[in-house]
Amino acid sequence: MTNKKQTKKVVEPLIEKDFEEVKKPVVETPKPKKVEPKKPEWEIKDRVYYLKSNKKPLSYMLKTNGIYYFDEEKGYERELKYCQNQRTPFVDEMKGDQRLEHVIFRNGALFVEKQKTTLQKLLSLYHPHNENIFYEHKPEVVAGDEIEILEMEADAILAARDMDIDMAEAIMRVEKGSNVSKMSSKELKRDLLIFARSNPALFLELATDDNVQLRNFGIKATELGIIKLSNDQRNFMWGSNNRPIMTVPFDEHPYSALAAWFKTDEGMEIYSNIEKRLN
């Protein structure tokens, strides 16, 4: 028999090699570009301008030369002039002859058609007398103001509708004084709703003023003789024995001072005493 040599496969042991740390290339993050706010685009449309304070002279000539506008981007004042044959109101950008043209308000108004962009920009953007002598009529701004007023009126009327009689009396006493005591509840409610509609801002201010009810409370107590105010309006006293309750600080309204005093520890005791007598 032929002896076959067995060949052994020699498996070399795995040798750990030192691996150098692979350095990753540093990628710089690009700096964000500074985004400048876009200037509002000029809307091409007809525009109307009015003199302020509701002035309506037969004619008023607006100064349109020898005036200046401070250009923040350039950092200096630039002379303005309205010329019929130029495409810019800035003198330093004008080319050739400069033919001045008058700008005249008739009966307090000036209509500028959309084709006269140069004049519109002069009046709306650059003229130093804009918002001082004249203004541009902006229907969308007027509509926004009217919506705000209408919403305030609605809030006031709803608050008046749901208001209890004591608070209604307190608010109307500010408006009508001592005559409130002679009014019926229906008359009081009617006048409260009218007041809320005609002067919603004042009504809502009074409705959220804590001192309004306290002032009314003090006035009612005085009218019923439970307390009384001295002739010099410097002292409140008990109506039955003239015993002093409080001294009104100098230069303050007596009932406003009394309302504030009712919030103190001593005042709360007197308030409770008066409340029992009123009920």
Side-chain angles (χ1 to χ4, degrees):
M1 280 181 72
T2 307
N3 290 331
K4 292 184 180 178
K5 291 183 180 180
Q6 293 181 354
T7 56
K8 291 183 179 179
K9 288 185 179 179
V10 179
V11 179
E12 293 184 1
L14 291 173
I15 300 174
E16 273 186 48
K17 294 183 178 179
D18 295 331
F19 293 93
E20 290 183 2
E21 186 178 350
V22 179
K23 292 183 179 180
K24 296 181 179 179
V26 178
V27 179
E28 291 186 2
T29 306
K31 293 180 181 179
K33 292 182 179 179
K34 189 176 180 181
V35 179
E36 294 184 359
K38 289 184 178 180
K39 293 182 179 179
E41 293 184 3
W42 179 259
E43 184 181 357
I44 298 176
K45 64 178 183 180
D46 296 333
R47 297 174 191 267
V48 182
Y49 301 87
Y50 293 101
L51 295 177
K52 295 203 75 173
S53 303
N54 204 27
K55 292 179 181 177
K56 296 181 180 180
L58 290 176
S59 65
Y60 176 84
M61 185 181 296
L62 186 69
K63 188 175 182 181
T64 55
N65 68 318
I67 53 177
Y68 294 85
Y69 168 78
F70 180 75
D71 192 324
E72 293 185 1
E73 291 182 0
K74 296 184 181 296
Y76 58 84
E77 283 189 324
R78 303 173 68 186
E79 186 179 357
L80 297 167
K81 189 185 291 185
Y82 178 56
C83 299
Q84 186 181 14
N85 63 327
Q86 298 289 337
R87 294 184 178 180
T88 175
F90 292 108
V91 174
D92 56 16
E93 293 178 352
M94 292 182 179
K95 297 176 182 178
D97 294 336
Q98 300 173 5
R99 288 182 293 185
L100 287 172
E101 184 174 357
H102 297 308
V103 175
I104 301 174
F105 285 75
R106 305 285 183 186
N107 295 317
L110 172 66
F111 175 79
V112 183
E113 55 269 24
K114 61 184 179 182
Q115 291 83 359
K116 292 188 176 182
T117 307
T118 302
L119 177 56
Q120 287 188 356
K121 287 185 176 181
L122 170 65
L123 296 174
S124 298
L125 302 179
Y126 308 123
H127 202 290
H129 295 161
N130 184 19
E131 297 299 336
N132 292 322
I133 292 178
F134 69 93
Y135 66 94
E136 180 186 349
H137 174 63
K138 298 179 180 178
E140 65 278 6
V141 175
V142 174
D145 293 341
E146 289 177 348
I147 288 172
E148 188 176 344
I149 292 170
L150 289 170
E151 287 178 345
M152 187 183 294
E153 286 181 4
D155 291 342
I157 290 172
L158 287 173
R161 186 194 66 180
D162 300 333
M163 187 169 286
D164 63 73
I165 198 68
D166 290 334
M167 188 63 184
E169 181 183 339
I171 290 177
M172 291 312 299
R173 193 177 292 278
V174 175
E175 180 71 6
K176 291 185 174 290
S178 58
N179 291 331
V180 170
S181 302
K182 302 173 185 178
M183 297 172 67
S184 66
S185 58
K186 287 186 177 180
E187 288 174 325
L188 189 63
K189 197 72 173 179
R190 176 202 62 198
D191 286 5
L192 183 73
L193 288 166
I194 293 172
F195 176 49
R197 184 181 62 187
S198 60
N199 199 338
L202 177 58
F203 174 85
L204 291 172
E205 182 182 345
L206 293 173
T208 54
D209 186 353
D210 295 337
N211 288 340
V212 169
Q213 262 189 310
L214 291 174
R215 281 199 299 267
N216 183 55
F217 180 85
I219 293 170
K220 283 177 68 176
T222 304
E223 288 178 348
L224 294 173
I226 298 173
I227 61 175
K228 64 182 181 180
L229 179 63
S230 61
N231 292 331
D232 60 2
Q233 296 196 337
R234 292 300 310 278
N235 295 284
F236 280 99
M237 303 165 287
W238 288 107
S240 56
N241 55 18
N242 291 334
R243 188 159 54 90
I245 296 176
M246 70 157 290
T247 300
V248 178
F250 179 74
D251 210 22
E252 283 193 27
H253 189 280
Y255 288 103
S256 295
L258 181 63
W261 183 76
F262 277 145
K263 294 179 179 180
T264 66
D265 292 339
E266 184 183 2
M268 288 176 70
E269 292 182 9
I270 301 297
Y271 180 91
S272 298
N273 193 329
I274 296 173
E275 190 175 32
K276 291 174 183 176
R277 300 188 189 197
L278 283 174
N279 295 334

